[in-house]
Amino acid sequence: MTNKSVIPEKVYDYSAYDDNNQLIGVAGEVTLPNLEPMSETLTGAGIMGEIESTSAGHFGSMEMEIQFRTLFQQSFSLMEYSGRPLVLRAIQQATDIQTRKTEYRPLKITAIYQPKGLNLGKIGQGATTETSNTFAITYLKIEENGVVLLEIDKLNYKYVLNGVDQLQGIRDFL
């Protein structure tokens, strides 16, 4: 549940893990998936113009990208397997507007991926290579302070939003 007296500020810090081993050399950012619901354009009798009809729980392809400061063994290890978990553990900072105190809340993002690409980056004297791995995401779970905000499991027909399984009724019909 959202505390309305708290102003969310930023991610204080984070760590990235693959198979419970901390990934070393991760650059400043990890690009998270874009959630774009699949839709169909409807037109015809009784509809003035067009309507985009979305399908609950059905999302387009989801991608995640991790940048590394340099080109080294971990980038290649991430390309070896499909179906591996990738976990981001973050601390989010906020200010309580009543007390003016800074608060911290844990954020955990779990993704199960298939390797999609490896951008080797560039070589320059005294510069980072900006190497990056790209992953196709088949499972995504976001938890804040222990509460499941989002869970998408494309292979097991599961879509949880704010702790509520949005597809339970549909699965009951199937």
Side-chain angles (χ1 to χ4, degrees):
M1 183 170 288
T2 303
N3 181 350
K4 293 182 181 181
S5 67
V6 172
I7 298 173
E9 293 178 15
K10 60 187 171 187
V11 171
Y12 177 80
D13 203 355
Y14 79 99
S15 290
Y17 300 86
D18 180 41
D19 293 345
N20 295 318
N21 295 314
Q22 188 171 10
L23 295 175
I24 306 300
V26 174
E29 296 179 352
V30 172
T31 302
L32 300 174
N34 181 26
L35 304 179
E36 187 175 327
M38 296 179 74
S39 65
E40 185 70 29
T41 302
L42 303 179
T43 187
I47 297 174
M48 189 169 73
E50 295 179 342
I51 297 173
E52 281 297 311
S53 175
T54 60
S55 298
H58 291 258
F59 293 93
S61 294
M62 299 185 298
E63 271 188 16
M64 183 180 274
E65 181 183 82
I66 297 182
Q67 284 193 337
F68 289 92
R69 287 185 292 274
T70 62
L71 180 61
F72 74 121
Q73 188 269 332
Q74 281 188 325
S75 291
F76 296 99
S77 292
L78 291 170
M79 295 295 291
E80 289 180 326
Y81 308 107
S82 291
R84 293 171 71 178
L86 181 65
V87 178
L88 303 175
R89 292 185 176 274
I91 299 296
Q92 296 189 106
Q93 181 175 314
T95 298
D96 185 313
I97 61 174
Q98 302 297 320
T99 65
R100 308 280 198 272
K101 290 184 179 180
T102 301
E103 296 181 355
Y104 299 96
R105 295 182 323 277
L107 178 70
K108 180 180 178 185
I109 300 171
T110 304
I112 296 179
Y113 70 90
Q114 295 176 354
K116 188 171 177 186
L118 173 59
N119 180 343
L120 299 175
K122 55 189 176 192
I123 297 290
Q125 186 176 20
T128 61
T129 62
E130 298 178 15
T131 299
S132 62
N133 288 77
T134 305
F135 309 104
I137 305 300
T138 59
Y139 175 88
L140 181 65
K141 184 176 185 179
I142 300 175
E143 301 167 86
E144 182 188 47
N145 224 11
V147 175
V148 176
L149 302 178
L150 175 74
E151 185 174 14
I152 299 171
D153 188 343
K154 289 187 168 200
L155 301 179
N156 288 300
Y157 213 84
K158 188 172 186 182
Y159 173 46
V160 176
L161 189 59
N162 287 322
V164 178
D165 187 342
Q166 303 293 311
L167 300 180
Q168 181 62 53
I170 292 171
R171 277 196 314 274
D172 290 345
F173 291 126
L174 297 174

